[in-house]
Amino acid sequence: MKYYCIGASGLQNARLSFPCGSQWPREHTVARRKSSARAQAGTSPSVVSARRGGNLRFCHTVTSALPGRCALRALNLSPPLPSAVMLWTANQFIRKLSTSTAYYQNKLKLALIGQSLFGQEVYTSLRKQGHKVVGVFTVPDKDGKADPLAMVAEKDGTPVFKFPRWRVKGKPIPEVVEAYMEVGAELNVMPFCSQFIPMSVIDHPTHGSIIYHPSLLPRHRGASAINWTLIHGDKAAGFSIFWADDGLDTGPILLQKECSVEPNDTVDSLYNRFLFPEGIKAMVEAVQLIADGKAHRIPQPEEGASYEGIQKKSNSKVIMAQPAEAIHNWIRGHDKVPGAWTVIGGQTVTLYGSSMLTGAVPAGQPLEIEGASQPGLITNKGLVLYGSDGKTVLVKNLQFEDGKMIPAGKYFSSGESASLELTEEEKRMAEEIRVIWKGILSNVPAIEDTTDFFKSGAASMDVVRLVEEIKQKCAGVQLQTEDVYMATTFQDFVQMFVRRLRGEDQEEELVISYATKDVNNMTVKMPYQCFINGRFEDAENGKTYDTVNPTDGSVICKVSYASVADVDKAVMAAKEAFETGPWGKMNPRDRGRLLYKLADLMEEHQEELATIETVDSGAVYTLALKTHVGMSIQTFRYFAGWCDKIQGMTIPINQARPNHNLTFTKREPLGVCAIIIPWNYPLMMLAWKSAACLAAGNTLVLKPAQVTPLTALKFAELTVKAGIPKGVINIVPGSGGLVGQRMSDHPDIRKLGFTGSTPIGKQIMKSCALSNLKKVSLELGGKSPLIIFSDCDVDKAVRMGMSSVFFNKGENCIAAGRLFVEESIHDEYITRVVEEIRKMKIGDPLDRSTDHGPQNHKAHLEKLLEYCEVGKKEGATLVYGGCQVVRPGFFMTPTVFTDVEDHMFIAKEESFGPVMVVSKFKDGDVDGVLSRANDTEFGLASGVFTRDINKAMYVSERLEAGTVFINTYNKTDVASPFGGFKQSGFGKDLGEEALHEYLRTKTVTVEY
């Protein structure tokens, strides 16, 4: 990264090394200044869109009445306040930058002094806003290549000056200064500059000069600000735009913006995510504020000020005798430049890709490391380092003195793999790659097999260009920037490329970190990380959360807490798998074969899956085995059979005489689908949606419920064993507000299937419409009526009525939310129900004799108890239960309310728990009870018990629900479509209709 600045007058000279990579000279002579300016900024090898905003701290007055433009309240800065108070006051004003749509009246003549992609983007953005760039002052060409800022300015016809220096022996060069004066700039904009600029230039324009600095000044003054932000473990990062003065980053502040620092951020990730994109917008905003006369100058307080020296290779050695977090911060604070290093086996080894290791340390081979309190471990996940506090750090990649980089987990691997013999087609592609290399390394006469990409002058932004050009040229081969660092010579790069092309590097054993638990007479092994692109990995931000066993409230394990970045990564993997991977090209029958194999593996592991489901959700084990897991297996087998039976039709149309026409339709997959499932049937809900989605040929990103993620992650492990190609299925556990919302908003997702509450369903539908009008299917809340007539089989009605309410602890989307019992049998019915409840065994869900297990989680139990209190206060009669069972865990007694009137809360709202809500109706009043049953905004399911078939059919035709049960309840089948009416949602799960939710119809007309 490049983020250092300028000084002008020459006093005490010092030799300092700038962390600027191979693009710029390693050493510059700089001066400690009394009358010099320093322009400081950052640059990055690639442009990455900002993934999250930050708090913008304005140090100026802004008012505006222009349409579509945000306005800030004016700061009352008269009389003048102490500088610290002024800065604090200004920092309280927060707003998002928006320069793309604003209309600005005042424009300035600008001189841009600097270089890099950052400078290029600032230049382009300022011109788009109507400012006139009268001159660009940048560095000379290097190895025949112009700086990115110079390239775009020359293309636009903007005057470009490429001075190697602005002064000699501390004095300004007259002809250089004169050339600058002639452009007539009203403001100097210095987004990134590595040269010394005289104060006569800094102060010359009417408005002076503004500089970008990548820290929240006055903290981290100096050239390695981003490095030190991470090294010190700061929780917040950001940038400042300040007015140049004769001090070292001490000028008055114009504005600041901050963001949070994630646990595993590196210099690159922090820069790409925030400092680069938001910095560009802020530079444009700052210029306009100056043009409008609204930019204040807030003096920097000295309180909290710090200055750190430039980080270079010689002073970036890792001190191992310190806590693990300090080691991690040191490594990531130097990643990628200049690179933190240690000594292993007498050789300097640079460490990249550091993260705090959570969970158990994987098994590995010891590795002696200089200065470490104990040997490191080479594991299949990477190099594990131990801090002085006993905690551990995981390092992903190692780079040796000769520049060769390898995955840390392969440190002890035996020599190079045998060289591949290329086919004629592969040789042709190798020559195309040679042309790409030559285009980047234009200073190299010819690309030989031994040509080293980096030793030939390539910089980090050239790595990005190489990867993207090859992706564009060779569709279907996915490369990462790390691949270039690990194969630096042309010959090695081609070998790596061909192995990737052949898929030979995809056969590595799946690496899984398990949480294990000895339970139910077995040891269950539970993955707990995100599953993205065929691999289990920690969330990018390193965050985790506890998943809890509802039987006793204990923590089962920590699970990765996915971020927006993880969702984006998962969607990208799914998109690539659909567009260029084998899944999209696969014969439908072969796709079905893989789904059959997956179902077989689920059956092979059904007891383990059922045990995990019980431990994580509280489902009674026998029910989990038969329904949660059993129906999931049936669902995958059912849809596996559909894979080669998805077909269109031919349609006769009017002929274009004398020619003929043929019109036919095709049923095509949609692409990337998102699936969000609830916590009541974790595996079964996954199967209901995923099986149809995959059978149709789509790829998917699935978010399990935050409180029940474990069976979904175990399922992900089985998909790899079944041979499902990587990227086809991705599992991202986390919160609905973060992960679910990003899925709803993501522009590359074409369909979202959701099961959950009606309010959240409405929000999802709105987000899907506003983002890219993605297709939606929603299975939402219910208040399913069950009508029990006096002519029914009472024994069966009691048994089925209890099942309709208490099945799966009442955590059942189609549970009978309200029972209507004909008056003549009402009292008998209630008496018999209570008698049966008293026989139910409440307890450990793993006990085979248990009838009723714990509610899913504590918050839900508390909601149910509150629901019962409301029922009592409104006048309903509590016949049985309504309280928590006195024992560890989240157990509730099955509950019965009678005398429930239509206006009551419990008559209208779903409990989603073991609460039977009973109302009586007059004998023979069929139409009256139908009217009451339909008086709800929900319409998921319903039921009727009667021996009169005519009455049964009459009622079933008039019940407004997606499913009607007659003399049974909860009888669903994989071949029968399932879904609701009204505010219970739309779209179907299961049956042939479920396939339609994941397909689109294309009409083709041929004339011949």
Side-chain angles (χ1 to χ4, degrees), residues 517 546-557 611-620 679-680 682 707-710 809 811 842-846 852-861 884-885 887-892:
K517 191 174 182 68
D546 294 337
T547 186
V548 174
N549 183 345
T551 302
D552 58 10
S554 63
V555 174
I556 303 168
C557 65
T611 302
I612 295 172
E613 191 94 335
T614 296
V615 170
D616 204 22
S617 75
V620 172
W679 42 258
N680 57 329
V707 292
T708 54
L710 296 180
K809 313 161 293 176
E811 296 167 354
I842 303 173
D844 182 357
L846 288 170
H852 190 80
Q855 304 309 133
N856 187 275
H857 51 282
K858 184 178 180 181
H860 183 54
L861 171 62
Q884 183 175 356
V885 178
R887 60 168 292 160
F890 312 137
F891 292 85
M892 180 178 179

Side-chain angles (χ1 to χ4, degrees), residues 496-515:
M496 177 275 298
F497 172 84
V498 171
R499 292 183 191 279
R500 188 67 51 84
L501 185 68
R502 295 179 182 180
E504 293 183 7
D505 60 342
Q506 299 175 15
E507 301 301 322
E508 294 183 7
E509 183 181 354
L510 179 66
V511 177
I512 308 176
S513 294
Y514 292 109

Side-chain angles (χ1 to χ4, degrees), residues 284-472:
V284 175
E285 184 79 4
V287 169
Q288 191 57 49
L289 290 167
I290 295 169
D292 293 341
K294 298 172 181 177
H296 276 271
R297 300 170 181 250
I298 307 301
Q300 292 187 39
E302 282 306 307
E303 182 181 355
S306 64
Y307 171 81
E308 296 92 5
I310 294 173
Q311 284 307 101
K312 48 190 176 180
K313 199 71 175 181
S314 60
N315 62 6
S316 60
K317 183 178 180 180
V318 183
I319 299 173
M320 294 294 175
Q322 57 181 330
E325 188 173 359
I327 295 174
H328 167 56
N329 287 337
W330 185 266
I331 295 172
R332 69 186 182 127
H334 292 81
D335 192 337
K336 298 275 189 208
V337 175
W341 57 275
T342 187
V343 176
I344 301 174
Q347 182 179 180
T348 298
V349 178
T350 307
L351 314 176
Y352 295 109
S354 169
S355 61
M356 292 297 294
L357 183 61
T358 57
V361 176
Q365 188 172 349
L367 179 67
E368 292 294 334
I369 298 172
E370 185 177 279
S373 58
Q374 66 182 95
L377 279 179
I378 295 295
T379 73
N380 52 14
K381 295 178 68 174
L383 169 62
V384 175
L385 301 175
Y386 288 87
S388 58
D389 55 357
K391 296 181 180 179
T392 50
V393 176
L394 183 68
V395 175
K396 186 177 179 182
N397 296 316
L398 305 175
Q399 188 173 40
F400 299 101
E401 292 173 349
D402 61 0
K404 182 73 173 180
M405 184 182 288
I406 64 166
K410 295 185 177 180
Y411 181 84
F412 288 120
S413 298
S414 53
E416 298 288 331
S417 55
S419 180
L420 297 175
E421 186 70 29
L422 273 56
T423 66
E424 291 303 317
E425 176 63 17
E426 289 166 349
K427 288 178 182 177
R428 183 190 64 76
M429 297 179 79
E431 290 308 309
E432 290 184 358
I433 295 173
R434 195 185 300 272
V435 172
I436 294 173
W437 274 53
K438 177 59 180 171
I440 297 171
L441 305 176
S442 56
N443 56 307
V444 178
I447 304 298
E448 307 291 346
D449 286 351
T450 56
T451 300
D452 188 285
F453 193 68
F454 296 102
K455 292 178 181 178
S456 299
S460 52
M461 61 183 173
D462 296 315
V463 174
V464 177
R465 176 181 168 184
L466 175 61
V467 169
E468 293 304 316
E469 282 199 45
I470 289 179
K471 282 183 179 180
Q472 188 177 44

Side-chain angles (χ1 to χ4, degrees), residues 2-7 18 20 24 28 30 33 37-43 112-116 118-119 137-139 147 149 163-166 189-198 201-202 210-214 223 249 283:
K2 312 167 186 68
Y3 40 86
Y4 44 85
C5 298
I6 332 348
F18 286 74
C20 54
W24 309 108
H28 296 261
V30 301
R33 287 145 295 166
R38 188 170 185 272
Q40 183 159 348
T43 189
L112 253 73
I113 304 175
Q115 66 237 37
S116 80
F118 185 78
F137 298 85
T138 186
V139 294
D147 179 80
L149 173 58
F163 300 134
R165 62 186 63 83
W166 289 72
V189 179
M190 307 172 76
F192 170 72
C193 185
S194 62
Q195 296 177 311
F196 295 96
I197 310 300
V201 171
I202 295 294
I210 60 171
I211 303 172
Y212 171 97
H213 181 85
D249 301 332
M283 287 296 282

Side-chain angles (χ1 to χ4, degrees), residues 849-870:
S849 63
T850 295
D851 299 302
H852 190 80
Q855 304 309 133
N856 187 275
H857 51 282
K858 184 178 180 181
H860 183 54
L861 171 62
E862 292 170 348
K863 175 187 169 187
L864 290 172
L865 296 174
E866 182 180 353
Y867 183 92
C868 292
E869 288 301 313
V870 172

